[in-house]
Amino acid sequence: MTHTQAAPARGAAPLLVPLLAGGLVAVALGVYGRAHAPTGFAVGLAGFSGPLAMKAWLTTGAALLAVVQVLSAMALWGRIPVTGSWVAPLHRWSGRLAFVLTVPVAFHCLYSLGAQYDAPRVLVHSVLGCFFYGVFTAKMLALPKRGLPGWTLPVLGGLAFTALAGLWLTSSFWFFTTLGVRF
């Protein structure tokens, strides 16, 4: 079966486990981020001037790779006229790399800062971070399932993209426009 052919619909029942698992991941991250006493210890990667710069640039990289994800998914589903044996590996590897780029950012946010709800931008950012990992979990668990409604992967992928775009706006865009473009 190719990506352009929809699997026979059996209803949304096969989605129950992926959606429940994704919901549990999102809630667990939010509870941990709120209950955990932030250390204030900055986690950073070599080459950046500080943890905020690291977070801004890694999130920017993940967001750019998310655009590659959307375009390659559209090609795989026949929505744009791009074909080739390279499209599926590009989709898989851009997604893997985007996810890997988010891990040090999320670790720093949860470990050093915790979930914060005192300012609107930070509240939205904290909620979107938890939501992103929840919907990502649901999408990864839904991928190998057969018989899902045809809208499943596009909707979950679109939600992951939207969450990542929101994370970029509430972190990297804020950083670059408030503190300037710096490494």
Side-chain angles (χ1 to χ4, degrees), residues 61-70 72-73 87-103 132-133 136 139-140 143 160 164:
L64 291 173
L65 288 166
V67 171
V68 172
Q69 280 278 285
V70 169
S72 59
V87 177
L90 174 68
H91 184 74
R92 283 190 300 274
W93 282 100
S94 62
R96 290 172 181 156
L97 186 53
F99 178 79
V100 166
L101 289 177
T102 69
V103 171
F132 170 76
Y133 281 99
F136 180 83
K139 183 181 178 211
M140 292 302 104
L143 274 172
L164 192 54

Side-chain angles (χ1 to χ4, degrees), residues 13-28:
L15 268 177
L16 188 59
V17 170
L19 291 178
L20 283 175
L24 287 173
V25 166
V27 168

Side-chain angles (χ1 to χ4, degrees), residues 45-119:
L45 296 176
F48 294 102
S49 61
L52 290 180
M54 180 261 314
K55 289 172 49 177
W57 285 105
L58 291 181
T59 303
T60 298
L64 291 173
L65 288 166
V67 171
V68 172
Q69 280 278 285
V70 169
L71 293 174
S72 59
M74 290 175 70
L76 287 170
W77 289 86
R79 300 296 187 246
I80 59 174
V82 176
T83 59
S85 60
W86 56 272
V87 177
L90 174 68
H91 184 74
R92 283 190 300 274
W93 282 100
S94 62
R96 290 172 181 156
L97 186 53
F99 178 79
V100 166
L101 289 177
T102 69
V103 171
V105 176
F107 179 77
H108 179 271
C109 289
L110 285 169
Y111 179 74
S112 180
L113 306 172
Q116 299 178 18
Y117 306 125
D118 51 347

